[in-house]
Amino acid sequence: MASEFNTILFEVADKVATITINRPDALNAFTMEMCEEFDQLWKQINTDDGINAVVIRAADGRAFSTGADVKSGVSADQTTNPFYVKDPGDYFGPRSNHCWKPVIVAVHGLCCAGGFYFLNQADFVICSDDAQFFDPHVSYGMVCGVEPVGMAYRVPLQEVLRISLMGGDERVSAQTALRINLVSEVVAKADLWAHAHNLASKIAAKPPSAIQNTVRAIWEGLDMPRAAALNHALRLCEIGNPKAAQELDVDAARKAAKEYEIR
């Protein structure tokens, strides 16, 4: 199954939805049109029972994404009410859109500034060995705010601050990104897309009620005190486990030969 948008490509195979940011001539920078297409797409993914996992990647070229396309004037949505501002990143994040299907992001080349929006709500990120990460906001006289706050949930504080304060004067290599937990794995660029799909397809083959309630328990728990998070997770286990048991032959799964890879 495949669907066409103006700024992204979308296809489904093996119960995996693949979203490809498709503005390579503009370094895959996003526009307001892309924001709106992602907003529409998350609704579509959320209600499609044929999709159990998602991969976000970008069209081949120099960059995964360099953030907002400033030439198009994209910025936070301004309304007549100055107390309401919607950040463009709200469109791109699955959790902001109440989607609990697991998401893997596969990064190649440059990823900077608003490009971090795609990483911040991913369940995990992998990258190719040519990837470079940086955020030049302060170098251009702008506050580096929303992206690093989101990044701080997965990267140690001093690393977030170093990226934010060094601006355009320093770039994080793929190997450094692995060391600081920005990504979980580095692979050869030629293998990036296939590997991302392989990981997603293995996740997608598992009972969706087990997978999606796992994602929800962990992400929603981040915003709760420890005791409340554990309580909430227990309730999701009580909801998800009976449904997952209907989606899988549990006895057969336990008896099956175990096949796995060491990471």
Side-chain angles (χ1 to χ4, degrees), residues 32 66 99 137 197:
M32 201 63 223
T66 54
C99 180
H137 275 101
H197 183 84

Side-chain angles (χ1 to χ4, degrees), residues 21 54-58 64-65 94-95 102-112 115-129 131-133 150-151 153-155 172-187 192-193 195-197 199-200 203 219 263:
I21 304 166
V54 180
V55 171
I56 299 177
R57 65 191 195 189
F64 168 80
S65 177
R95 313 314 161 213
V103 176
I104 300 170
V105 172
V107 177
H108 76 274
L110 304 178
C111 179
C112 66
F116 282 98
Y117 285 135
F118 297 102
L119 281 57
N120 285 347
Q121 291 188 33
D123 293 302
F124 59 91
V125 181
I126 65 173
C127 75
S128 58
D129 48 17
Q132 294 183 349
F133 304 84
M151 197 195 326
Y153 281 84
R154 70 172 73 236
V155 175
V172 172
S173 68
Q175 289 302 324
T176 298
L178 180 64
R179 176 177 60 80
I180 67 176
N181 204 43
L182 182 56
V183 304
S184 67
E185 188 176 7
V186 178
V187 300
L192 181 65
W193 286 8
H195 188 54
H197 183 84
L199 292 170
I203 294 171
W219 278 98
R263 175 164 65 93

Side-chain angles (χ1 to χ4, degrees), residues 12-255:
V12 179
D14 305 321
K15 296 188 176 181
V16 175
T18 300
I19 305 169
T20 305
I21 304 166
N22 192 36
R23 300 188 72 236
D25 293 341
L27 298 179
N28 289 316
F30 63 78
T31 60
M32 201 63 223
E33 183 180 21
M34 188 185 294
C35 291
E36 292 166 352
E37 289 187 343
F38 263 90
D39 186 56
Q40 173 187 341
L41 190 51
W42 286 125
K43 293 181 176 68
Q44 182 177 332
I45 289 170
N46 214 13
T47 57
D48 189 337
D49 291 337
I51 297 173
N52 289 351
V54 180
V55 171
I56 299 177
R57 65 191 195 189
D60 196 19
R62 289 180 55 210
F64 168 80
S65 177
T66 54
D69 188 339
V70 295
K71 294 179 181 179
S72 74
V74 65
S75 64
D77 293 346
Q78 300 294 335
T79 71
T80 54
N81 181 351
F83 296 102
Y84 175 80
V85 178
K86 184 171 181 177
D87 190 74
D90 289 342
Y91 294 97
F92 300 127
R95 313 314 161 213
S96 297
N97 288 279
H98 307 291
C99 180
W100 305 112
K101 297 185 180 183
V103 176
I104 300 170
V105 172
V107 177
H108 76 274
L110 304 178
C111 179
C112 66
F116 282 98
Y117 285 135
F118 297 102
L119 281 57
N120 285 347
Q121 291 188 33
D123 293 302
F124 59 91
V125 181
I126 65 173
C127 75
S128 58
D129 48 17
D130 72 328
Q132 294 183 349
F133 304 84
F134 61 105
D135 195 325
H137 275 101
V138 295
S139 294
Y140 299 129
M142 294 182 286
V143 174
C144 188
V146 182
E147 296 93 337
V149 169
M151 197 195 326
Y153 281 84
R154 70 172 73 236
V155 175
L157 179 60
Q158 72 169 350
E159 299 291 353
V160 173
L161 284 162
R162 179 165 176 164
I163 292 170
S164 303
L165 298 175
M166 290 298 292
D169 291 326
E170 186 174 83
R171 297 184 181 184
V172 172
S173 68
Q175 289 302 324
T176 298
L178 180 64
R179 176 177 60 80
I180 67 176
N181 204 43
L182 182 56
V183 304
S184 67
E185 188 176 7
V186 178
V187 300
K189 185 178 179 182
D191 300 331
L192 181 65
W193 286 8
H195 188 54
H197 183 84
N198 181 52
L199 292 170
S201 64
K202 289 180 177 179
I203 294 171
K206 297 176 174 64
S209 294
I211 290 294
Q212 291 177 43
N213 280 290
T214 296
V215 171
R216 185 172 184 177
I218 294 169
W219 278 98
E220 289 189 331
L222 294 175
D223 293 327
M224 300 177 184
R226 182 176 181 275
L230 290 170
N231 234 2
H232 180 59
L234 179 59
R235 286 196 296 273
L236 289 173
C237 290
E238 292 171 342
I239 293 169
N241 288 357
K243 293 183 66 177
Q246 297 173 5
E247 299 165 349
L248 174 75
D249 186 335
V250 177
D251 289 337
R254 292 184 183 279
K255 294 175 182 177

